[in-house]
Amino acid sequence: PWQRLGPSEQPSGATVRHSWVVISESVDRRRKLRSTRSGVTYAPRLWKVWISAPLAIAVASAFSWFLYQQVLGSSAVRGASSIEVVKTTLTLVAALGAVLTGVYAYRKQRLSEGDAARADADQLTQSYRTAAELIGHDKAAVRLAGVYAMARLADDWSKQRQQCIDVLCAYLRMPAEPDADASETEVRATIVRTIASHLRYNAAISWVEHEFDFTGAVLRDADFNGVKFCGDHTSFTKVTFCGERTTFINRSEERRV
């Protein structure tokens, strides 16, 4: 539609790039909000040492004294010397200590796993930001690299795969610059080919269960041959198909499209 506007009304390159920055930041905020609402945590919360350590010592001392009294009054050790009673008590306390040591080791392992998960999440988040910045770059070659980076991240990051797909679809929904050259056309065609390749039966990692919003996009020579959309919502509203050939052969929609 913008092609029918006058030269002074058509969006400039700076305006389009600014719009992309706003879109990518908005998708990033929605990703963070969903993670917050889902209550994602990476490690158990621990009490402060100055509270837990004295409390543990007090509980251990009280339990040892209680155990000593129970052993002392037991018929099994009746007539035994005080030293034998103490030895028996210490044996039981040592067994309890071994159990507590195992619990501590388990919690330590949980903390280590939490740190590793947090590091992985931070790395994936940084990769997402880098890919988004590449897609919003001035040069088409850099944007093309950003498309491949975002698609690879979507394959590796199953929890946030939908957000990566949203970014790719958002780029297609943005109007191309009036003076867009063949390189920009190739960037958009690459996005379409990347999405379609993940929707076919032989895809190494399938995206068929996710949502796709192509509303208002201009798709040139789109090849959706053999793809399947199984997500809750897929929109082709007001999509413009242009070019020499557009195929939808053997396409199957199993849910609302």
Side-chain angles (χ1 to χ4, degrees):
W2 53 265
Q3 294 177 345
R4 296 192 294 269
L5 299 176
S8 62
E9 298 175 307
Q10 293 179 352
S12 63
T15 301
V16 173
R17 286 189 294 272
H18 174 71
S19 300
W20 170 252
V21 172
V22 172
I23 291 174
S24 61
E25 290 179 349
S26 176
V27 173
D28 192 26
R29 285 196 298 269
R30 283 190 296 167
R31 179 191 61 79
K32 293 179 179 179
L33 182 59
R34 290 181 181 180
S35 296
T36 301
R37 289 178 175 177
S38 62
V40 177
T41 56
Y42 300 105
R45 296 180 179 179
L46 302 178
W47 289 358
K48 294 183 178 179
V49 176
W50 64 272
I51 295 178
S52 58
L55 182 61
I57 294 174
V59 171
S61 300
F63 181 78
S64 298
W65 176 254
F66 172 78
L67 190 60
Y68 173 77
Q69 294 296 327
Q70 293 297 317
V71 173
L72 187 62
S74 175
S75 59
V77 296
R78 184 172 300 173
S81 64
S82 299
I83 296 179
E84 293 297 329
V85 174
V86 171
K87 287 182 179 180
T88 303
T89 303
L90 291 178
T91 300
L92 295 176
V93 171
L96 178 62
V99 174
L100 294 178
T101 300
V103 173
Y104 173 77
Y106 170 75
R107 289 180 65 85
K108 187 176 181 180
Q109 178 65 25
R110 286 286 306 277
L111 287 173
S112 299
E113 293 175 353
D115 291 339
R118 182 163 47 250
D120 291 341
D122 291 342
Q123 182 179 2
L124 291 171
T125 300
Q126 182 59 40
S127 299
Y128 171 86
R129 293 175 180 173
T130 301
E133 291 175 358
L134 292 176
I135 295 178
H137 199 273
D138 294 338
K139 297 182 178 180
V142 179
R143 294 198 296 273
L144 191 61
V147 170
Y148 287 117
M150 188 64 72
R152 177 62 181 273
L153 182 61
D155 290 341
D156 296 338
W157 202 4
S158 59
K159 291 184 179 179
Q160 300 297 339
R161 182 172 297 158
Q162 182 62 58
Q163 279 64 42
C164 298
I165 294 173
D166 290 343
V167 170
L168 297 176
C169 291
Y171 192 97
L172 294 176
R173 293 196 304 270
M174 291 178 56
E177 299 182 20
D179 56 347
D181 53 13
S183 59
E184 172 61 17
T185 302
E186 178 60 24
V187 172
R188 293 172 179 266
T190 300
I191 295 177
V192 175
R193 287 196 300 267
T194 300
I195 291 176
S197 66
H198 284 83
L199 298 177
R200 295 190 174 98
Y201 74 93
N202 58 348
I205 297 179
S206 178
W207 295 358
V208 297
E209 297 294 337
H210 293 275
E211 302 176 1
F212 296 86
D213 184 6
F214 301 106
T215 302
V218 178
L219 305 181
R220 180 180 298 274
D221 295 326
D223 181 12
F224 289 107
N225 181 27
V227 306
K228 180 183 294 185
F229 296 97
C230 299
D232 292 334
H233 178 73
T234 297
S235 174
F236 283 91
T237 305
K238 297 182 179 180
V239 170
T240 300
F241 297 97
C242 58
E244 297 180 356
R245 183 180 182 183
T246 298
T247 57
F248 282 89
I249 301 175
N250 295 328
R251 185 167 65 98
S252 174
E253 302 89 8
E254 297 186 357
R255 299 183 186 177
R256 182 168 61 90
V257 175

